[in-house]
Amino acid sequence: MISHLLTSHTQKIETSLVRELLHYSQQPDVLSLAGGLPDEKYMPAYPSLDVLADSRQYGPSEGEIRLREQVVSIVADRGLSTVADDVLITTGSQQGLDIISRLILDGDSTILTEQPTYLAACQVFSLQGATIHDVASDAQGMSLEALRQAIDAHHPKALYLIPNFQNPAGHCYSLQRRREIAALLDEKGILLIEDDPYRDLCYEQVDLTPICSLLKTAPWLYLGSFSKVLWPGVRTGYSVSCPAFSPYLVKVKQAIDLHTNRLGQEMVSYFLSSGGFPAHLVTLKEVYKHKRDVMAQALSSELGDLVTFALPAGGMFFWLRLPDGVSSTLVLEEALRENVLVLPGVPFFPSESPLKDSFLRLSFARVSLDDINKAVAVLAGVIKRLLTK
Amino acid sequence: MISHLLTSHTQKIETSLVRELLHYSQQPDVLSLAGGLPDEKYMPAYPSLDVLADSRQYGPSEGEIRLREQVVSIVADRGLSTVADDVLITTGSQQGLDIISRLILDGDSTILTEQPTYLAACQVFSLQGATIHDVASDAQGMSLEALRQAIDAHHPKALYLIPNFQNPAGHCYSLQRRREIAALLDEKGILLIEDDPYRDLCYEQVDLTPICSLLKTAPWLYLGSFSKVLWPGVRTGYSVSCPAFSPYLVKVKQAIDLHTNRLGQEMVSYFLSSGGFPAHLVTLKEVYKHKRDVMAQALSSELGDLVTFALPAGGMFFWLRLPDGVSSTLVLEEALRENVLVLPGVPFFPSESPLKDSFLRLSFARVSLDDINKAVAVLAGVIKRLLTK
């Protein structure tokens, strides 16, 4: 009845597998390793309303000036120099992806991503009708040669990267790879969209230099989030951009929802200013690192050489390569019969790939240590059974 | 440096006049009748965090189920029958406009609006590259004959209406006109997007039947807001749609920002359930009606027959027709020299019109009674001076 009204891009909107699975993950007897949710047991309490500035009236489209200045200081510590005028507060960093997509992508555009890549980024790129080409990566990050070839072949508008503790693959780029990619983007004049939501959840000594900070001439947009370390429910993230983009970003933001909710901005801003944030991060990192180690141990002892994975140096996810011939979708179905929910890698591959059905993304962030062991034991049983079929 | 990256639609993004004027309205010595802001003196205090459900974790893309059920009940009282599955909580009703635009509008689409119409709606329609055609209205609402001609001439995807206390013109549709428009949309199968943010600010006995509720077969989307009666800063609005649209709306919502901030939803939901909302509305209506009457009196006594306006039966705005030959843009400039800020009608006209520069939109909502009189006196002086030039 309404399909004739939809645009050619929105007629193709697919149901997100993650969204469908959410239904199961909310059942109390299901053990979920599928979502990307942080552990609410380690979320701070909201600051009292009494200490916050009044946030009831309409506010500025750019976001609260105090929070934008705090973001300037946060990204300066990361090596990225900016000013408050080039910071935009968004409804989570997801909205930053949408806003930049609105500005630059249409049915004639191509964007390059990692393979695999964050599925919800592909959703917004596709909503604009853009063509997505993914580029092969190794343990150091995106392959430079493959990137150069993809740029020459596809003339992309932009390159989308998650260099730190990538979702889903968990890799972290080497400093050398960061430098090489920056130099190539400068050479080709390609826009870099750098998504960096996991960097605060860092469990090893690794380089986290923003690639944006290494660019000399190429345009760039850097996306940050408080959702993984504070309260995702308040939907408060930010973008930082090269100055030329800023007036356009704020005009799109104004058009699409006027401004980000101010109460969440005040909550985040007050918490950041209260001095408790560094200690909170230390706790989070200890907790998540321990969960990561328990999951690594469980995967090794239960599945041994049957599966392959790298120990993620940060973030929330293991990216598990299944034995040849074992389908990730089948593992999902079988494990769900035993009340364990896992996420097949399929939706993280924008292009066809022979490996599409060969991975699971396992999140260790929100499950207890006991449940990690229980869930991995179920998973191991399922995989071994499928192998002998 | 980046203009080659922008899409053909975003290269044309214009600076919003309202946005530029905001800069002036924030100066403490400027008396502003320009914005659409409610009076924060009559906003309730936020409910205590202690009485709210925990909102820190990620939430559902559709919005909180309790708030969606409250919306079902609210719109049922207006005569619009729906279920929670067809309610989507949005980042203000502005985002509802954006989401429906994403779904149905592209560079090949046409949408019809009233003349004049809400300028920020035109911004989202234009962001999708759609062509906007405006249709003449009289005091009863959009002209039926002009609408029929526009449908036949332009084959629009949708009709966008603000039937109650329209922004900017303040008109309120008669019941007969509502019925006639609904019948015409059913006949032609045209989507109705009905925007209804002002209906609670109603100062006279007028019909407020949602036109959506009168449709038999045409598809529809109804947009509601809490921003004019509670706290605009928490950005919490909603859409209600015919069932066929709902799965698409929620998928776009999920793609663009995952979900609306939950803390704002909890605040609104708790306030609605606390029982204080009806009495709060009574107070708001008394306050705003009094301000409206004072402005009407001031305009009549200061400007007499020089200007034309209808007494708005609700909402926040007077739509003032200036004397022939007096430019609204010139009035803006001259009044600002005397620290009074008004909004010229220019940006509310999507198409060229000989009357484009002949109106002012004057908001009475946020100024004190004294300041209404002062501002109108300044305005009258400016208009009279310009007339004698």
Side-chain angles (χ1 to χ4, degrees):
Chain A
M1 176 185 126
I2 59 145
S3 56
H4 67 289
L5 292 173
L6 303 177
T7 70
S8 57
H9 310 325
T10 53
Q11 277 166 1
K12 289 179 281 184
I13 293 182
E14 286 170 32
T15 302
S16 150
L17 177 63
V18 178
R19 193 175 149 68
E20 298 300 300
L21 294 182
L22 196 69
H23 168 69
Y24 295 105
S25 71
Q26 284 164 344
Q27 295 175 3
D29 49 347
V30 166
L31 251 177
S32 175
L33 308 178
L37 283 65
D39 193 338
E40 54 264 49
K41 281 201 292 296
Y42 300 95
M43 291 179 190
Y46 287 136
S48 158
L49 293 174
D50 301 337
V51 299
L52 303 183
D54 190 354
S55 60
R56 297 172 301 166
Q57 186 58 276
Y58 285 108
S61 296
E62 298 88 340
E64 302 301 309
I65 182 63
R66 189 172 79 143
L67 182 56
R68 287 190 288 131
E69 283 169 352
Q70 288 169 315
V71 168
V72 168
S73 159
I74 286 170
V75 301
D77 289 344
R78 300 175 183 178
L80 190 58
S81 175
T82 188
V83 294
D85 279 351
D86 296 324
V87 175
L88 178 70
I89 306 298
T90 54
T91 306
S93 61
Q94 183 70 25
Q95 191 185 44
L97 277 176
D98 186 48
I99 293 174
I100 187 69
S101 298
R102 299 293 285 271
L103 270 181
I104 64 160
L105 299 181
D106 59 21
D108 300 325
S109 313
T110 295
I111 185 163
L112 301 181
T113 71
E114 293 151 333
Q115 180 198 67
T117 188
Y118 175 48
L119 61 95
C122 294
Q123 284 172 349
V124 288
F125 303 152
S126 299
L127 200 54
Q128 290 297 105
T131 302
I132 305 169
H133 281 286
D134 51 14
V135 178
S137 300
D138 57 37
Q140 313 297 307
M142 184 173 274
S143 151
L144 201 73
E145 206 34 59
L147 175 58
R148 180 180 291 276
Q149 283 171 15
I151 291 173
D152 291 344
H154 303 298
H155 306 288
K157 278 271 184 92
L159 170 66
Y160 171 68
L161 297 182
I162 313 167
N164 303 323
F165 323 132
Q166 197 238 18
N167 178 3
H171 63 233
C172 187
Y173 283 42
S174 66
L175 178 58
Q176 189 189 337
R177 190 64 57 86
R178 291 172 201 260
R179 286 188 173 133
E180 289 166 350
I181 287 177
L184 181 57
L185 294 177
D186 277 337
E187 177 195 328
K188 300 284 187 181
I190 304 287
L191 167 64
L192 174 61
I193 302 173
E194 183 170 16
D195 195 359
D196 201 7
Y198 299 104
R199 69 175 293 128
D200 287 329
L201 304 178
C202 171
Y203 318 129
E204 311 290 341
Q205 283 283 354
V206 288
D207 189 86
L208 297 173
T209 308
I211 301 179
C212 288
S213 73
L214 302 171
L215 295 170
K216 291 188 175 68
T217 54
W220 56 271
L221 185 88
Y222 176 88
L223 298 169
S225 172
F226 298 105
S227 292
K228 309 307 173 189
V229 292
L230 285 173
W231 314 288
V234 302
R235 312 300 305 119
T236 304
Y238 56 88
S239 72
V240 183
S241 65
C242 59
F245 267 118
S246 303
Y248 292 96
L249 294 168
V250 71
K251 281 175 204 166
V252 173
K253 172 68 180 170
Q254 182 195 23
I256 65 179
D257 68 2
L258 304 186
H259 62 82
T260 298
N261 90 89
R262 300 179 79 190
L263 185 51
Q265 293 186 66
E266 291 297 337
M267 289 283 182
V268 170
S269 182
Y270 184 86
F271 190 84
L272 291 175
S273 71
S274 69
F277 194 55
H280 169 63
L281 281 187
V282 169
T283 304
L284 273 191
K285 284 192 277 191
E286 278 174 13
V287 168
Y288 286 143
K289 183 183 185 184
H290 191 38
K291 292 188 180 193
R292 176 200 68 165
D293 292 342
V294 167
M295 185 174 275
Q297 177 60 41
L299 289 170
S300 293
S301 65
E302 295 276 355
L303 283 161
D305 295 338
L306 291 178
V307 297
T308 322
F309 62 88
L311 186 73
M316 297 181 161
F317 307 115
F318 279 83
W319 182 240
L320 198 73
R321 170 78 192 270
L322 293 168
D324 285 347
V326 173
S327 147
S328 67
T329 321
L330 218 52
V331 173
L332 161 69
E333 287 170 18
E334 294 293 315
L336 200 51
R337 287 181 214 271
E338 300 179 55
N339 284 337
V340 168
L341 187 64
V342 295
L343 190 58
V346 181
F348 296 95
F349 288 85
S351 312
E352 280 311 313
S353 158
L355 296 178
K356 207 167 176 169
D357 197 21
S358 300
F359 289 89
L360 296 179
R361 193 194 72 176
L362 305 179
S363 170
F364 52 84
R366 202 183 174 215
V367 268
S368 70
L369 300 176
D370 262 8
D371 285 346
I372 289 174
N373 285 316
K374 276 186 211 161
V376 170
V378 166
L379 205 56
V382 167
I383 291 170
K384 287 174 186 168
R385 242 182 296 138
L386 288 174
L387 258 182
T388 58
K389 266 188 186 168
Chain B
M1 177 184 123
I2 59 145
S3 58
H4 67 288
L5 292 173
L6 303 176
T7 70
S8 56
H9 310 327
T10 52
Q11 277 167 0
K12 289 179 281 187
I13 294 181
E14 286 171 30
T15 301
S16 150
L17 177 64
V18 177
R19 192 174 151 67
E20 299 300 301
L21 294 181
L22 195 69
H23 167 71
Y24 295 106
S25 70
Q26 285 164 343
Q27 295 175 2
D29 49 347
V30 166
L31 250 175
S32 175
L33 308 178
L37 281 63
D39 193 339
E40 55 264 49
K41 281 201 291 297
Y42 300 95
M43 291 179 192
Y46 287 136
S48 158
L49 293 174
D50 301 337
V51 301
L52 303 183
D54 190 355
S55 60
R56 296 173 300 166
Q57 187 56 277
Y58 285 107
S61 297
E62 299 88 340
E64 302 301 309
I65 182 63
R66 188 171 81 144
L67 183 56
R68 288 190 288 133
E69 283 168 353
Q70 290 169 314
V71 168
V72 168
S73 160
I74 287 170
V75 301
D77 288 345
R78 300 174 183 178
L80 190 58
S81 175
T82 189
V83 293
D85 279 351
D86 297 323
V87 175
L88 178 70
I89 306 298
T90 54
T91 306
S93 61
Q94 182 71 25
Q95 191 185 44
L97 278 176
D98 185 48
I99 292 174
I100 188 67
S101 299
R102 299 291 286 270
L103 270 181
I104 64 160
L105 299 180
D106 58 22
D108 300 326
S109 313
T110 294
I111 185 163
L112 302 180
T113 72
E114 294 150 330
Q115 180 196 70
T117 189
Y118 174 48
L119 61 96
C122 295
Q123 284 172 349
V124 288
F125 304 152
S126 299
L127 200 53
Q128 290 297 105
T131 302
I132 305 169
H133 281 286
D134 52 14
V135 178
S137 300
D138 58 36
Q140 314 297 308
M142 185 172 273
S143 152
L144 202 72
E145 208 34 60
L147 175 57
R148 181 180 288 277
Q149 284 171 15
I151 290 173
D152 292 343
H154 302 299
H155 307 288
K157 278 270 183 93
L159 171 66
Y160 171 69
L161 296 182
I162 311 167
N164 302 322
F165 323 132
Q166 198 237 18
N167 178 5
H171 63 232
C172 187
Y173 283 43
S174 67
L175 179 58
Q176 189 188 337
R177 190 63 58 88
R178 291 172 200 260
R179 288 188 173 133
E180 289 166 349
I181 286 177
L184 181 56
L185 294 178
D186 278 335
E187 177 195 328
K188 300 284 188 181
I190 302 287
L191 167 66
L192 173 60
I193 302 172
E194 183 170 15
D195 196 0
D196 201 7
Y198 299 105
R199 69 175 294 130
D200 287 328
L201 303 178
C202 170
Y203 318 128
E204 310 290 340
Q205 284 283 354
V206 288
D207 188 86
L208 297 175
T209 307
I211 301 179
C212 288
S213 72
L214 303 171
L215 293 171
K216 292 188 176 69
T217 55
W220 56 272
L221 185 89
Y222 176 87
L223 298 169
S225 175
F226 299 105
S227 293
K228 308 307 174 190
V229 292
L230 284 175
W231 314 288
V234 302
R235 312 299 306 118
T236 303
Y238 56 88
S239 72
V240 183
S241 65
C242 59
F245 267 118
S246 303
Y248 292 96
L249 295 169
V250 71
K251 281 175 206 168
V252 173
K253 173 67 180 171
Q254 182 196 23
I256 65 180
D257 68 3
L258 304 187
H259 62 83
T260 298
N261 90 89
R262 299 179 78 190
L263 186 51
Q265 294 186 66
E266 291 297 336
M267 291 281 182
V268 170
S269 181
Y270 185 87
F271 191 84
L272 292 174
S273 71
S274 70
F277 194 57
H280 169 64
L281 281 186
V282 169
T283 305
L284 273 190
K285 284 191 278 192
E286 279 174 14
V287 168
Y288 287 143
K289 183 183 185 183
H290 191 39
K291 291 187 179 193
R292 176 199 68 166
D293 292 342
V294 168
M295 187 175 273
Q297 178 59 41
L299 289 169
S300 293
S301 66
E302 294 276 356
L303 283 160
D305 296 336
L306 291 179
V307 297
T308 322
F309 62 88
L311 187 71
M316 298 181 162
F317 307 114
F318 281 83
W319 182 239
L320 198 74
R321 171 78 192 268
L322 294 167
D324 285 347
V326 172
S327 148
S328 66
T329 321
L330 218 51
V331 173
L332 161 68
E333 288 170 17
E334 294 292 316
L336 200 49
R337 288 181 213 270
E338 299 179 55
N339 285 337
V340 168
L341 186 65
V342 296
L343 190 58
V346 180
F348 297 95
F349 288 86
S351 311
E352 280 310 313
S353 159
L355 295 178
K356 205 167 177 169
D357 196 22
S358 300
F359 289 89
L360 296 178
R361 193 194 72 175
L362 305 179
S363 170
F364 51 84
R366 203 182 174 215
V367 268
S368 71
L369 301 175
D370 261 10
D371 285 346
I372 289 173
N373 284 316
K374 277 186 210 162
V376 171
V378 166
L379 205 55
V382 167
I383 291 169
K384 287 173 184 166
R385 242 181 295 137
L386 288 173
L387 258 180
T388 57
K389 265 188 185 170

